[in-house]
Amino acid sequence: MSSVIQQGLMITLIGMGLVFLVIIFLWWLMGLLVKVTTKAEVSVEEPEPAAISETRVPEMAAIEQLRRAAAAAVSVGLTIEARSARRRQVKTQADGGMSPWQSVHRAQQLEQHNRRG
Amino acid sequence: MSSVIQQGLMITLIGMGLVFLVIIFLWWLMGLLVKVTTKAEVSVEEPEPAAISETRVPEMAAIEQLRRAAAAAVSVGLTIEARSARRRQVKTQADGGMSPWQSVHRAQQLEQHNRRG
Amino acid sequence: MSSVIQQGLMITLIGMGLVFLVIIFLWWLMGLLVKVTTKAEVSVEEPEPAAISETRVPEMAAIEQLRRAAAAAVSVGLTIEARSARRRQVKTQADGGMSPWQSVHRAQQLEQHNRRG
Amino acid sequence: MNFSYLLAEIMTGFTSFTWGNAVMILAGVVLIFLAVVKEYEPVLLLPIGFGCIMANIGMSTDAGFMKVIYDAGIKTELFPLLIFVGVGAMIDFSPLLSQPKMVLLGAAGQFGIYGTLLLALLLGFPMNEAASIGVIGAIDGPTAIFVGSRLAPELLAPIAVAAYSYMSLIPIIQPPIMKLMTTRKERMIRMDYSPRPISRLTLVIFPIFVTIVVSLVAPDAAPLIASLMLGNLLRESLVVDRLSKSAQNEMINIATLFLGLAIGATMKAASFLNVQTLMILALGLFAFILDTVAGLLFGKLMSVLSGGKINPLIGASGISAFPMAGRLSAKMAQDEDFENFILMHAMGANTAGQLGSVIAGGLLLALVTGL
Amino acid sequence: MNFSYLLAEIMTGFTSFTWGNAVMILAGVVLIFLAVVKEYEPVLLLPIGFGCIMANIGMSTDAGFMKVIYDAGIKTELFPLLIFVGVGAMIDFSPLLSQPKMVLLGAAGQFGIYGTLLLALLLGFPMNEAASIGVIGAIDGPTAIFVGSRLAPELLAPIAVAAYSYMSLIPIIQPPIMKLMTTRKERMIRMDYSPRPISRLTLVIFPIFVTIVVSLVAPDAAPLIASLMLGNLLRESLVVDRLSKSAQNEMINIATLFLGLAIGATMKAASFLNVQTLMILALGLFAFILDTVAGLLFGKLMSVLSGGKINPLIGASGISAFPMAGRLSAKMAQDEDFENFILMHAMGANTAGQLGSVIAGGLLLALVTGL
Amino acid sequence: MNFSYLLAEIMTGFTSFTWGNAVMILAGVVLIFLAVVKEYEPVLLLPIGFGCIMANIGMSTDAGFMKVIYDAGIKTELFPLLIFVGVGAMIDFSPLLSQPKMVLLGAAGQFGIYGTLLLALLLGFPMNEAASIGVIGAIDGPTAIFVGSRLAPELLAPIAVAAYSYMSLIPIIQPPIMKLMTTRKERMIRMDYSPRPISRLTLVIFPIFVTIVVSLVAPDAAPLIASLMLGNLLRESLVVDRLSKSAQNEMINIATLFLGLAIGATMKAASFLNVQTLMILALGLFAFILDTVAGLLFGKLMSVLSGGKINPLIGASGISAFPMAGRLSAKMAQDEDFENFILMHAMGANTAGQLGSVIAGGLLLALVTGL
Ligand code: NA
Ligand code: NA
Ligand code: NA
């Protein structure tokens, strides 16, 4: 095996190894971050807790409900209409590269802006 | 006549001659293009013919009607009001550098965008 | 006192002196400008006097009234509601860096634009 | 510490001020006045006017931030090209495509270029300068700047100022010529508008074809035509609305603002206030008139050849000056007869003039460079 | 006055035209066709296609205004970074933060980089070129351009074209591999989505942390990750909506338009039409396939380890290609079972892939430079 | 193949990291915290904070893309000027024009410049650096950057950081001074607002006049005043709404974002973390306090001279810091008496302060250069 191929294999080994190492570190960091910031919000009573601790649970629940509602609608036979409605919905999300969470977030942001403004 | 003026006349002759040549070539090309693409659309059944073969005839007819309606309105004595209305309309077109066709096109575009989105 | 401090005092003297001189000149200039342009508009009958001589008095009066109305509202005991309403209003102005005059001006501008367009 | 030296430093603004500067500031104020009160192309005249004032109170393109802007946008030719991308995104070629013969009017409206070139030669200008002055007759700002900055950069200021100022004065320059050269009967000719349907496919292929053809025929005009057609393709493709809107808004706005400022900032009294400038301004006016006359004559010829079915007024739209000239011709016809609606034909001729100007500018550049 | 010389000058457009130019113009037209009719990533394919046409009718990045744009935006690396600021402002990391283990899929989707690097070495490319070709497997335009322009600028054109073209062809490339490598039962696995709540504080701290960590670990990727995370911070801070919107709109639009044009304008027949380019295009496709396969295999592994609670399709989203790959995985699952809604998980994997690509690109740059 | 060398290359991020970098990163995080949680001028503090972090993880203005941005926007002075065009388009001078004597308050609010200059001289700074530090007392970002980058570019980072940070902290810095220096009775003075009508003509002529006058008197301030007044002319002309909106939105947003990043990216620990920086930060705070005190004293003087018809609080608005200081004075008056509505007078003084700052900055530049 030529030396350059050996180099290549070496780089592959180190490169992919480091990628996984960094990613695993990020995994740990993300878990830690979520845990710490969530705890911080529960324990510390900050001056403006509403503004900062605003979590996304309710919205997520809402969307989950929406999803379930759509599913139920389908199951009772409104398949085609619901499907097209859903598709439109999914398409809309897709177009702007926005998840439902993002759009909820946006709405929140707008609302907050209004509240502030 | 000095040599530089001779040069100038030469350039004028060649320059204007070439401009007319190129423009006449564009004339022919535009005719050909319109003919070929229109034919292509009629003969070939494409997957999304609606999207591509969407021609502008109906809108043009619509605007022609609008024009005639305005004319009729004027003829029965509503001259001044209609005139001002028309003027506003013409002004609006003028302001954005948009012909009625353009604005129709825009509307179409928007609609299509909505359809896609 | 060291020479550099002397220089500094010199610069301070000349600098602040000149700033006041220029500002006083601007004061005079502004007075003159307002006087001349207002007179010009009164004396000269220009082709489009409406467009140019459009002053801001009425709006200012309107806002003054609004202010007084709010004051009255407060005095009859609606303090808290009015206060929050007023605060919202003040906040709105502040956010965009816009005085009520500015926003009126904007509205005017828009209106004028519509009139023109 | 030298107090008198300090005073001199503080007074530089006044000591370097000349009568010429005062005259040019007045010129700048007039341009702003035309922009604000008369609303002649304010988007350009206002920045040019303000730039002219700046140039004469120490902020010319010789140094400082106006030099930065000039070097970044005019020397590199980026500003005219960015403006053309935006203009292209605003042009609808379907009126032209549905009546292709209108394209001929776009050739006729270029005679002013060469007429002015010849007159400038007669007045003693060397060939490169004469050609630069002639290109005012293209009646198209970006083309004039593009060609002018290549052939005679030292004349760019008066050329650009003439091009943009007269363009904004078209509603004053053209009507008397139109009235003089056409009869009332001619102006009242109504034109039927029953165009061939233009498909989206045509509108998408057209800018690509034009780019290739014109770039091969007139390589010097390639950047101009490519920018214009790129903008048009963004528009007609219907799939990149974001890019098309950006080109028509932020991009063209900012490029126009800085182009105007930079052009204005070249109008320093020391280099602008001279007989040559006056001659160029006079020659520029001549170019506008000659273009209009040639366009109208060609319009009359087409009117006769078509058996009176063509209103010769649309010939005056072939000079370019998109979209002012197109609107003006339509307005002139309507002033005679309120029912006469020739806007579509005029816009066809006007877009043809836009193409013709770019082609003529590119060929002129090639010919003069090739001498 | 030499008439034949003048004629030659006028004919330069034609005399310098080659068959290669015609072929490349056709390639440009095909790219525009894919953009306009098939609507594959038109925002990029259309400018690249038009730039390709321009390059072959005299407007390549060798000289003129395309060189100005290339030097200003590609050589300085500004365009990819500006685009990343905009992309960052569009990314929502909350799906990823609420299910952190998904981040592993972003590592798996980088095998294609090294597999392709090895294959390129076997085919005789030197290390720097092989690594540049491998980075097509990052499946992320800005990363490919950033790394490619540092390691092998002479190959930037085919690398960028491959990266962007295949990215737009993902809906064609991935599905057959997905169907081949997963059973129907696997594709029908439903995933529960009951994420941990993500607070605003977390979302604000996350981009700052990631910037610091990745910049320390892979300093060569620092500009990329910093741009991406800056955009994300603008978004999540909620206090600079104006900046966030500008980044997501005007800035990314204009940077994308000119990036596409400049990339396209490097595709001159003389330097592009050769066997090497064909090999790079083939290697690029290989990289895409390998990435997808690795991602799916890792997805299957995670599926097994989780006791069948993970749908392996989301592995294919880990390749980056944000947000197309995420959407596609969700669509494939829904095609099997309309009730199966795994979009959130797929987007989590997809944003992880975006991070993974930048990290892998930076590490590759460091390793190859460090040899 | 040297493995240890490869390892060293991979570890450069860590090996070059110092305690100073950690401290500066913390400083950056604090700035971002102030921006996000306290919402102090987030549009500037957030980019500065992020730039500061970047500078200390390998992306300073010494090299790479931050150097490109710094050279393009700060060295050329373009960013501050572009921001001024946008600010000018946001300013309404009619409150000032309808009560011209308010302009005097714009002069009083500049004492801090010279007081700080003298103090800096006493502390041993050479004249050019002392003047640069003094200009923090102009309390106007673009002016501080413009003057600072000409007189002492090596101090630009701490000067800009001080200017912008304290400006965002004005709601904390000014109120105690205001309470200390004014009696409750003074703060409760109501001011009648029955202004002279201001015509559109006045509003259009005003920016042109001011540009000419200030450019002649203080040529060094010409670019600043011209940019500000150009923006204002775009606004008041009412005919170039497109340009005015672009200046107030895209242009100022993007310039602000990159200005902030570039300023932040100069805050490298190695050159920023020293006693000098601390002294500049302390002197900057002194400048803010002195300006406020001088403004209030002058306000009290005017109050007395007017027979108690002027609320001295508006003196504190004359320091510039448009529009925060104007709003704050109005708020302070309203806090005493909810019915007391002096916003218009405060904004008049505040716009006067904006003019005064530019004039004072330009004169300072001339004086120090002329020594
Ligand atoms: Na023309
Ligand atoms: Na990847
Ligand atoms: Na000040």
Side-chain angles (χ1 to χ4, degrees):
Chain A
M1 200 159 55
S2 85
S3 123
V4 75
I5 303 291
Q6 260 182 323
Q7 273 193 340
L9 285 171
M10 188 79 165
I11 283 182
T12 301
L13 204 75
I14 304 177
M16 280 312 293
L18 283 172
V19 166
F20 268 96
L21 264 179
V22 177
I23 289 283
I24 286 167
F25 179 73
L26 276 183
W27 180 15
W28 170 80
L29 189 79
M30 281 159 65
L32 187 78
L33 181 64
V34 171
K35 203 192 283 173
V36 168
T37 52
T38 311
K39 200 189 281 171
E41 277 170 25
V42 173
S43 63
V44 183
E45 279 302 309
E46 280 170 329
E48 295 179 79
I52 304 172
S53 72
E54 225 160 41
T55 58
R56 293 174 186 194
V57 186
E59 301 89 53
M60 289 176 171
I63 281 165
E64 188 62 23
Q65 276 186 340
L66 211 147
R67 188 175 89 76
R68 298 239 166 96
V74 173
S75 67
V76 293
L78 297 163
T79 318
I80 301 156
E81 291 84 344
R83 185 178 292 242
S84 71
R86 167 68 80 78
R87 277 211 178 130
R88 223 177 306 122
Q89 185 198 336
V90 169
K91 195 71 208 299
T92 311
Q93 295 156 13
D95 251 10
M98 288 216 300
S99 66
W101 278 256
Q102 276 178 298
S103 52
V104 167
H105 182 192
R106 282 278 163 76
Q108 234 184 330
Q109 210 166 321
L110 269 169
E111 205 186 302
Q112 207 154 359
H113 194 264
N114 291 344
R115 244 182 292 144
R116 262 176 220 148
Chain B
M1 202 159 53
S2 84
S3 123
V4 75
I5 303 291
Q6 260 183 324
Q7 273 192 340
L9 285 171
M10 188 78 165
I11 284 182
T12 302
L13 204 75
I14 304 177
M16 279 312 293
L18 283 171
V19 166
F20 268 96
L21 264 180
V22 177
I23 288 284
I24 287 167
F25 178 72
L26 276 183
W27 179 15
W28 171 80
L29 190 79
M30 283 160 64
L32 187 77
L33 181 64
V34 171
K35 202 192 281 174
V36 168
T37 51
T38 312
K39 201 189 278 172
E41 277 171 23
V42 174
S43 63
V44 183
E45 280 303 310
E46 282 169 328
E48 295 179 79
I52 303 174
S53 73
E54 225 159 43
T55 58
R56 291 166 188 203
V57 186
E59 299 91 54
M60 290 177 171
I63 281 166
E64 187 63 22
Q65 276 185 340
L66 210 146
R67 187 174 91 76
R68 298 240 165 96
V74 172
S75 67
V76 293
L78 297 163
T79 317
I80 301 154
E81 291 85 342
R83 187 176 292 243
S84 73
R86 166 69 79 78
R87 273 205 183 136
R88 223 177 308 122
Q89 183 197 338
V90 169
K91 194 74 209 294
T92 312
Q93 295 156 15
D95 251 9
M98 288 215 303
S99 65
W101 278 256
Q102 277 178 299
S103 53
V104 167
H105 182 191
R106 282 276 164 78
Q108 233 184 333
Q109 214 166 319
L110 269 170
E111 205 187 302
Q112 206 154 0
H113 195 264
N114 291 344
R115 244 183 289 141
R116 262 175 220 149
Chain C
M1 202 160 55
S2 85
S3 123
V4 75
I5 303 290
Q6 261 183 323
Q7 273 192 340
L9 286 171
M10 187 79 165
I11 284 182
T12 302
L13 204 76
I14 304 177
M16 280 312 293
L18 283 172
V19 166
F20 268 96
L21 264 180
V22 177
I23 288 283
I24 287 167
F25 179 72
L26 276 183
W27 179 16
W28 171 79
L29 189 79
M30 281 159 65
L32 188 78
L33 182 63
V34 171
K35 202 192 284 175
V36 168
T37 52
T38 312
K39 198 188 283 171
E41 277 170 24
V42 174
S43 64
V44 183
E45 279 302 309
E46 280 170 329
E48 296 179 79
I52 303 173
S53 72
E54 226 158 43
T55 59
R56 290 166 190 200
V57 185
E59 300 91 54
M60 290 177 172
I63 282 166
E64 188 61 21
Q65 275 186 341
L66 210 147
R67 187 174 88 78
R68 301 239 165 97
V74 172
S75 67
V76 295
L78 298 162
T79 318
I80 301 155
E81 292 84 343
R83 185 178 292 243
S84 72
R86 167 66 80 76
R87 276 211 178 128
R88 222 177 306 121
Q89 184 198 335
V90 169
K91 195 73 210 293
T92 313
Q93 296 156 14
D95 249 9
M98 288 216 302
S99 66
W101 280 256
Q102 276 179 297
S103 53
V104 167
H105 181 192
R106 282 277 164 76
Q108 234 185 334
Q109 209 167 324
L110 270 169
E111 206 187 302
Q112 206 155 359
H113 195 263
N114 291 344
R115 244 184 290 143
R116 261 177 221 147
Chain D
M1 189 170 165
N2 194 333
F3 190 81
S4 72
Y5 184 71
L6 207 61
L7 198 81
E9 175 73 26
I10 290 290
M11 301 298 289
T12 42
F14 293 98
T15 48
S16 62
F17 194 79
T18 65
W19 275 110
N21 292 133
V23 171
M24 291 309 295
I25 288 176
L26 209 72
V29 168
V30 169
L31 292 177
I32 294 177
F33 173 83
L34 290 175
V36 176
V37 178
K38 298 285 176 188
E39 295 197 36
Y40 293 150
E41 292 287 288
V43 172
L44 264 157
L45 280 194
L46 194 143
I48 292 179
F50 198 84
C52 173
I53 295 175
M54 287 205 296
N56 290 283
I57 47 177
M59 289 167 282
S60 75
T61 51
D62 291 353
F65 75 112
M66 288 315 301
K67 180 173 161 51
V68 172
I69 291 173
Y70 187 90
D71 288 352
I74 310 273
K75 266 205 185 153
T76 62
E77 293 159 359
L78 274 187
F79 285 161
L81 297 177
L82 292 181
I83 290 174
F84 253 22
V85 175
V87 170
M90 288 173 182
I91 293 184
D92 179 4
F93 280 113
S94 50
L96 181 60
L97 280 162
S98 64
Q99 28 181 0
K101 70 179 168 220
M102 289 291 160
V103 81
L104 290 173
L105 290 166
Q110 314 308 327
F111 274 107
I113 297 179
Y114 293 97
T116 309
L117 181 152
L118 289 172
L119 189 55
L121 286 178
L122 280 172
L123 290 171
F125 284 96
M127 180 58 87
N128 69 323
E129 294 190 3
S132 293
I133 297 167
V135 92
I136 299 174
I139 313 204
D140 179 75
T143 302
I145 290 172
F146 190 85
V147 174
S149 69
R150 290 210 181 174
L151 288 180
E154 70 280 8
L155 297 186
L156 191 56
I159 289 170
V161 170
Y164 278 115
S165 309
Y166 294 139
M167 248 195 291
S168 60
L169 296 175
I170 274 191
I172 292 176
I173 298 173
Q174 283 201 327
I177 310 174
M178 286 157 126
K179 292 217 168 164
L180 199 76
M181 291 199 46
T182 55
T183 64
R184 185 154 194 274
K185 211 175 138 197
E186 283 175 326
R187 291 197 294 277
M188 289 184 72
I189 293 175
R190 295 199 182 185
M191 296 176 75
D192 217 36
Y193 191 62
S194 50
R196 273 185 276 179
I198 303 301
S199 70
R200 186 184 157 208
L201 186 58
T202 315
L203 290 169
V204 168
I205 293 177
F206 181 68
I208 300 175
F209 265 39
V210 169
T211 304
I212 297 173
V213 168
V214 175
S215 295
L216 290 179
V217 172
D220 292 289
L224 284 173
I225 203 75
S227 308
L228 194 69
M229 292 298 128
L230 169 63
N232 194 245
L233 181 59
L234 294 181
R235 168 204 182 83
E236 299 296 353
S237 71
L238 304 186
V239 292
V240 287
D241 225 41
R242 287 170 55 132
L243 300 186
S244 172
K245 293 230 168 74
S246 281
Q248 287 175 59
N249 292 291
E250 300 87 40
M251 217 170 77
I252 197 171
N253 287 356
I254 292 175
T256 303
L257 175 59
F258 289 116
L259 177 87
L261 283 178
I263 291 297
T266 58
M267 295 169 73
K268 227 176 50 168
S271 57
F272 194 89
L273 263 190
N274 52 46
V275 182
Q276 207 184 36
T277 299
L278 285 179
M279 284 169 76
I280 292 172
L281 293 178
L283 284 164
L285 184 59
F286 175 75
F288 269 65
I289 293 169
L290 195 54
D291 264 336
T292 307
V293 169
L296 285 169
L297 283 176
F298 203 81
K300 285 167 87 102
L301 177 67
M302 281 181 77
S303 184
V304 170
L305 292 179
S306 70
K309 285 188 181 158
I310 286 178
N311 188 323
L313 283 179
I314 63 170
S317 306
I319 63 165
S320 194
F322 176 84
M324 292 87 76
R327 289 180 210 158
L328 185 68
S329 295
K331 193 183 159 292
M332 290 296 289
Q334 212 171 23
D335 281 355
E336 258 355 304
D337 164 13
F338 182 69
E339 290 308 300
N340 198 2
F341 188 70
I342 63 165
L343 184 62
M344 281 308 108
H345 304 84
M347 290 317 281
N350 202 190
T351 48
Q354 179 72 67
L355 292 180
S357 295
V358 172
I359 296 167
L363 289 171
L364 180 68
L365 201 50
L367 287 167
V368 174
T369 317
L371 276 182
Chain E
M1 187 172 168
N2 194 333
F3 189 79
S4 71
Y5 183 72
L6 206 62
L7 198 79
E9 176 72 26
I10 290 291
M11 301 298 290
T12 42
F14 292 98
T15 49
S16 62
F17 194 80
T18 65
W19 274 110
N21 292 132
V23 172
M24 290 309 296
I25 287 176
L26 209 72
V29 168
V30 169
L31 291 177
I32 294 176
F33 172 84
L34 290 175
V36 176
V37 178
K38 298 286 176 188
E39 295 197 33
Y40 293 150
E41 292 288 287
V43 172
L44 264 157
L45 280 194
L46 193 143
I48 291 179
F50 198 84
C52 173
I53 295 176
M54 286 205 295
N56 290 283
I57 47 177
M59 289 168 282
S60 76
T61 51
D62 292 351
F65 75 114
M66 287 316 300
K67 181 173 161 51
V68 172
I69 291 173
Y70 187 90
D71 289 351
I74 310 273
K75 267 204 184 154
T76 62
E77 293 159 0
L78 274 188
F79 285 160
L81 297 177
L82 293 181
I83 290 174
F84 252 23
V85 175
V87 170
M90 289 174 183
I91 293 184
D92 179 4
F93 280 112
S94 51
L96 181 60
L97 279 162
S98 62
Q99 30 182 359
K101 70 179 169 220
M102 289 290 160
V103 80
L104 291 173
L105 290 165
Q110 315 307 328
F111 275 108
I113 296 179
Y114 293 96
T116 309
L117 181 151
L118 289 173
L119 189 54
L121 287 177
L122 279 173
L123 289 171
F125 283 96
M127 180 58 87
N128 68 323
E129 295 190 4
S132 294
I133 297 167
V135 92
I136 298 174
I139 314 205
D140 179 74
T143 302
I145 290 172
F146 190 86
V147 175
S149 69
R150 291 210 180 174
L151 289 179
E154 70 280 8
L155 296 187
L156 192 55
I159 288 170
V161 170
Y164 278 115
S165 309
Y166 294 139
M167 246 194 292
S168 60
L169 296 174
I170 275 191
I172 292 176
I173 297 173
Q174 283 201 327
I177 309 174
M178 287 158 127
K179 292 218 166 164
L180 200 75
M181 292 199 44
T182 55
T183 63
R184 188 159 189 270
K185 212 175 138 197
E186 284 174 327
R187 291 197 294 277
M188 288 184 71
I189 292 173
R190 294 198 183 186
M191 296 175 75
D192 217 37
Y193 190 63
S194 49
R196 273 185 276 181
I198 303 301
S199 71
R200 187 184 156 207
L201 187 58
T202 316
L203 290 169
V204 168
I205 294 177
F206 181 68
I208 300 175
F209 264 39
V210 170
T211 304
I212 297 172
V213 169
V214 175
S215 295
L216 290 179
V217 172
D220 292 290
L224 284 172
I225 202 75
S227 309
L228 194 69
M229 291 299 126
L230 169 63
N232 195 245
L233 181 59
L234 293 180
R235 168 207 182 80
E236 298 298 353
S237 72
L238 304 185
V239 292
V240 288
D241 224 42
R242 286 169 54 132
L243 300 186
S244 173
K245 292 230 168 76
S246 281
Q248 287 176 58
N249 291 292
E250 300 87 41
M251 217 170 78
I252 197 172
N253 287 354
I254 291 176
T256 305
L257 175 59
F258 288 116
L259 176 88
L261 283 178
I263 292 296
T266 58
M267 296 168 73
K268 226 175 54 169
S271 57
F272 194 90
L273 264 189
N274 51 47
V275 181
Q276 207 185 35
T277 298
L278 285 179
M279 284 168 77
I280 292 172
L281 292 178
L283 283 164
L285 184 57
F286 174 75
F288 270 65
I289 293 170
L290 195 54
D291 264 336
T292 306
V293 168
L296 286 169
L297 283 176
F298 202 80
K300 284 167 87 101
L301 177 68
M302 281 182 77
S303 184
V304 170
L305 292 179
S306 70
K309 285 187 182 159
I310 286 178
N311 187 323
L313 282 180
I314 63 169
S317 306
I319 62 166
S320 191
F322 177 83
M324 291 87 77
R327 288 180 211 158
L328 185 68
S329 294
K331 193 182 160 291
M332 290 296 288
Q334 212 172 24
D335 281 355
E336 264 346 310
D337 164 13
F338 183 69
E339 288 310 300
N340 198 2
F341 187 69
I342 62 165
L343 184 62
M344 281 307 107
H345 304 83
M347 290 318 281
N350 201 189
T351 48
Q354 178 72 66
L355 292 180
S357 295
V358 171
I359 297 167
L363 289 171
L364 180 68
L365 201 51
L367 287 167
V368 173
T369 317
L371 275 182
Chain F
M1 187 170 167
N2 193 333
F3 189 80
S4 71
Y5 183 72
L6 207 60
L7 198 79
E9 174 74 25
I10 289 293
M11 300 299 288
T12 42
F14 293 97
T15 50
S16 63
F17 193 80
T18 65
W19 274 109
N21 292 132
V23 171
M24 290 309 295
I25 288 175
L26 209 71
V29 169
V30 169
L31 292 176
I32 293 176
F33 171 85
L34 291 175
V36 176
V37 178
K38 298 286 178 189
E39 295 198 34
Y40 294 151
E41 291 287 288
V43 172
L44 264 158
L45 280 194
L46 194 143
I48 292 179
F50 198 85
C52 174
I53 296 175
M54 288 205 296
N56 290 283
I57 46 176
M59 289 167 283
S60 75
T61 51
D62 292 352
F65 75 113
M66 288 315 300
K67 181 173 160 52
V68 172
I69 290 173
Y70 187 90
D71 289 351
I74 310 274
K75 268 206 182 151
T76 62
E77 294 159 358
L78 274 187
F79 286 161
L81 297 177
L82 293 181
I83 290 173
F84 252 24
V85 176
V87 170
M90 289 173 182
I91 292 184
D92 180 4
F93 280 112
S94 50
L96 181 61
L97 280 162
S98 62
Q99 27 181 2
K101 69 179 168 221
M102 290 291 160
V103 81
L104 290 173
L105 290 165
Q110 315 307 327
F111 274 108
I113 296 179
Y114 292 96
T116 310
L117 182 151
L118 288 173
L119 188 56
L121 287 178
L122 279 172
L123 289 171
F125 283 96
M127 180 58 88
N128 68 324
E129 295 190 3
S132 294
I133 297 167
V135 93
I136 298 174
I139 314 206
D140 179 76
T143 302
I145 290 172
F146 190 85
V147 175
S149 70
R150 288 210 181 174
L151 288 179
E154 69 281 9
L155 298 186
L156 192 54
I159 289 170
V161 171
Y164 279 115
S165 309
Y166 293 138
M167 247 194 291
S168 60
L169 295 175
I170 274 190
I172 292 175
I173 297 172
Q174 284 201 326
I177 308 173
M178 286 157 127
K179 292 215 167 165
L180 200 76
M181 293 199 46
T182 55
T183 64
R184 185 156 193 272
K185 211 176 137 196
E186 283 174 328
R187 291 198 293 278
M188 287 183 71
I189 293 174
R190 294 198 182 187
M191 296 174 75
D192 216 37
Y193 191 62
S194 49
R196 272 185 278 180
I198 303 302
S199 70
R200 187 184 156 207
L201 186 58
T202 315
L203 290 168
V204 168
I205 293 177
F206 181 68
I208 300 175
F209 264 38
V210 170
T211 305
I212 297 172
V213 169
V214 175
S215 295
L216 290 180
V217 173
D220 292 289
L224 284 172
I225 202 74
S227 309
L228 194 69
M229 292 298 128
L230 168 64
N232 195 245
L233 181 60
L234 294 180
R235 168 205 180 83
E236 298 297 354
S237 72
L238 305 186
V239 291
V240 288
D241 225 42
R242 287 169 55 133
L243 300 186
S244 172
K245 292 231 168 75
S246 280
Q248 286 176 60
N249 291 292
E250 299 87 39
M251 219 170 77
I252 198 172
N253 287 354
I254 292 176
T256 304
L257 175 60
F258 289 116
L259 176 88
L261 283 178
I263 291 297
T266 58
M267 296 168 72
K268 228 175 51 168
S271 57
F272 194 89
L273 263 190
N274 51 49
V275 181
Q276 206 183 37
T277 298
L278 285 178
M279 285 168 76
I280 292 172
L281 293 178
L283 283 164
L285 184 58
F286 175 75
F288 270 65
I289 292 169
L290 195 54
D291 263 335
T292 305
V293 169
L296 286 169
L297 282 176
F298 202 81
K300 283 166 88 99
L301 177 68
M302 281 182 77
S303 185
V304 169
L305 292 180
S306 69
K309 285 188 181 159
I310 286 178
N311 188 324
L313 283 178
I314 62 169
S317 307
I319 63 165
S320 193
F322 176 84
M324 291 86 77
R327 289 180 211 157
L328 185 68
S329 295
K331 193 182 159 293
M332 290 296 288
Q334 212 170 23
D335 281 355
E336 255 1 298
D337 164 14
F338 183 69
E339 289 310 300
N340 198 2
F341 188 70
I342 61 165
L343 184 62
M344 280 309 105
H345 303 84
M347 291 316 283
N350 202 189
T351 49
Q354 179 72 65
L355 292 180
S357 294
V358 171
I359 296 166
L363 288 171
L364 180 69
L365 201 52
L367 287 167
V368 174
T369 317
L371 276 181

